[in-house]
Amino acid sequence: MADLYELGELFTSELAAVNAINDLNDLRVRYLGKKGLLTQKLKELGSLPPAEKPARGAALNDLKVKIQEGIAFKQAELTTSHANSTSLDLTLPGHNPLLGRRHPLMQVEERVKSIFRSMGFVVETGPEVETPYYNFTALNTPDWHPARDEADTFYLNDEYLLRTETSPVQIRVLERGQLPVRMIAPGRVYRKDKPDPSHFPVFHQVEGLYVDHGVTFADLKGTLLAFYRSLFGEETRIRFRPHFFPFTEPSAEVDVTCFLCGGAGCRVCKDKGWLEMGGSGMVDPKVLVGVNIDPEEWTGFAFGLGIERIAMLWYGVDDIRLFWENDMRFLKQF
Ligand code: DAH
């Protein structure tokens, strides 16, 4: 039965060379068609002596199954592999490319930046690894201030720390000695806070600073009112509560009327009608003197606000840690 073995080998090699459905059909006809190579052998079976028929018949049948299966496998291969397929199924759904998008915190930061840019503020940046001088001393933060404590601040060594606020960028810009200054500084800040729904050891702030001739608290009020109206809507009102910051005098915390209820009280503002948005004040003369600016000639205001705070209120996110998990199910919603 060497001839059947050879025919099987021939089929295997010819099948391997087939790359298109048309060629596969030709191959099928060549072996299994009316005058096919295997069909011929089957026809010859009738003229064999009876004693040889069963063994020869079984061998022929094995070969037939092998050829049929080989062709079926090849057919499946050719119709599922796109590269080699000559039959293109236009009814199959296409592959949707995964679209990336901006992180919600960066979306809020972009919005804040574009509003302040429209008011003539330029965007500045500063290092996240800072010195105690820029982070505290130049900002008039006394040696005994609790923020300097190792329990609250990430010190890398005696010389460097991770900035706890974006305020040091004020100092770096004022040091250049080019006045007037009208800037914002967005960026990451770090504090040794245990993660919980409202704390995370890294978060984002935007610092604002305007130093010029004759800048007053009224300018601060007007600027922040315009900003928050642009951010939350034209009905928004703001109020200032006296506070203390080492680098501003006087200092105030800024509240805005709740964007959802307009001040009536709801779940967003926890029935207070007001939302606490951040700190502000008039730049303390001591800070100006520290960077060789004459406080008799120049005055300024400063403010700081939190990106996470705005994003959580605006999007109704109740756990700050969600911003850092990078869970696609969360991020896809923005
Ligand atoms: N640096 C302050 C903080 O992290 C925020 C702040 C308050 C910035 C008042 C200011 C300001 O510029 O005037 O809590």
Side-chain angles (χ1 to χ4, degrees):
M1 299 216 209
D3 64 320
L4 295 191
Y5 175 77
E6 271 164 29
L7 191 62
E9 290 297 286
L10 183 66
F11 171 77
T12 305
S13 66
E14 290 188 354
L15 183 70
V18 166
N19 275 322
I21 288 286
N22 289 342
D23 295 342
L24 187 64
N25 287 335
D26 290 347
L27 190 75
R28 190 200 321 270
V29 173
R30 178 165 148 75
Y31 284 85
L32 304 174
K34 263 190 191 155
K35 293 178 184 161
L37 295 172
L38 186 73
T39 316
Q40 294 289 331
K41 303 270 183 202
L42 283 164
K43 278 180 187 161
E44 290 161 16
L45 190 62
S47 53
L48 283 182
E52 291 176 19
K53 275 187 190 169
R56 179 83 180 171
L60 276 166
N61 202 48
D62 285 350
L63 183 55
K64 188 178 176 183
V65 169
K66 172 184 157 147
I67 290 173
Q68 285 171 334
E69 280 181 356
I71 289 172
F73 272 114
K74 193 72 171 190
Q75 179 149 7
E77 199 181 295
L78 289 176
T79 48
T80 51
S81 107
H82 294 272
N84 295 328
S85 177
T86 54
S87 67
L88 183 59
D89 188 349
L90 295 174
T91 65
L92 287 172
H95 295 274
N96 283 333
L98 268 184
L99 276 191
R101 60 191 80 202
R102 268 178 194 267
H103 191 280
L105 294 177
M106 293 302 103
Q107 291 186 31
V108 171
E109 190 179 293
E110 272 309 316
R111 179 94 184 98
V112 171
K113 283 199 284 195
S114 90
I115 295 172
F116 279 111
R117 278 204 196 97
S118 76
M119 294 196 278
F121 285 73
V122 296
V123 176
E124 300 278 0
T125 54
E128 289 173 29
V129 174
E130 265 296 6
T131 62
Y133 172 76
Y134 285 103
N135 197 81
F136 295 124
T137 313
L139 289 163
N140 194 35
T141 308
D143 286 341
W144 48 262
H145 198 281
R148 286 186 181 249
D149 203 292
E150 279 199 40
D152 296 312
T153 298
F154 289 104
Y155 285 89
L156 303 176
N157 51 38
D158 286 345
E159 277 176 89
Y160 295 107
L161 47 75
L162 296 180
R163 69 180 179 188
T164 61
E165 51 190 2
T166 42
S167 305
V169 185
Q170 286 187 25
I171 306 300
R172 291 182 174 276
V173 171
L174 289 175
E175 265 183 353
R176 295 178 197 154
Q178 291 164 345
L179 295 174
V181 160
R182 200 189 295 158
M183 58 140 247
I184 57 165
R188 292 184 181 205
V189 300
Y190 302 83
R191 288 180 198 177
K192 276 193 186 171
D193 289 328
K194 231 179 109 202
D196 69 22
S198 51
H199 296 88
F200 204 74
V202 46
F203 55 100
H204 298 79
Q205 288 186 331
V206 177
E207 186 77 14
L209 176 72
Y210 178 34
V211 178
D212 203 341
H213 292 293
V215 176
T216 70
F217 205 101
D219 297 310
L220 171 62
K221 266 186 107 167
T223 302
L224 288 183
L225 181 63
F227 167 70
Y228 282 112
R229 285 193 165 164
S230 184
L231 188 68
F232 289 136
E234 287 304 313
E235 304 302 306
T236 307
R237 285 168 291 132
I238 62 174
R239 74 179 179 192
F240 289 76
R241 277 179 294 105
H243 202 76
F244 174 81
F245 296 102
F247 34 86
T248 43
E249 182 59 36
S251 304
E253 282 201 314
V254 185
D255 297 343
V256 306
T257 46
C258 176
F259 56 83
L260 189 65
C261 63
C266 69
R267 63 185 163 77
V268 168
C269 57
K270 305 214 169 67
D271 286 329
K272 293 194 196 90
W274 293 90
L275 302 167
E276 295 179 15
M277 296 313 299
S280 69
M282 300 305 292
V283 179
D284 194 305
K286 285 191 209 138
V287 171
L288 295 176
V289 169
V291 286
N292 291 318
I293 292 171
D294 180 0
E296 298 295 329
E297 189 185 346
W298 303 93
T299 54
F301 68 68
F303 58 87
L305 49 91
I307 293 293
E308 278 81 354
R309 171 87 177 139
I310 296 174
M312 289 175 79
L313 289 169
W314 188 248
Y315 294 125
V317 174
D318 58 6
D319 193 324
I320 198 169
R321 295 169 294 191
L322 287 166
F323 290 122
W324 300 92
E325 283 169 5
N326 285 334
D327 185 330
M328 290 289 278
R329 291 167 302 175
F330 175 73
L331 296 175
K332 265 161 77 173
Q333 298 175 59
F334 303 94

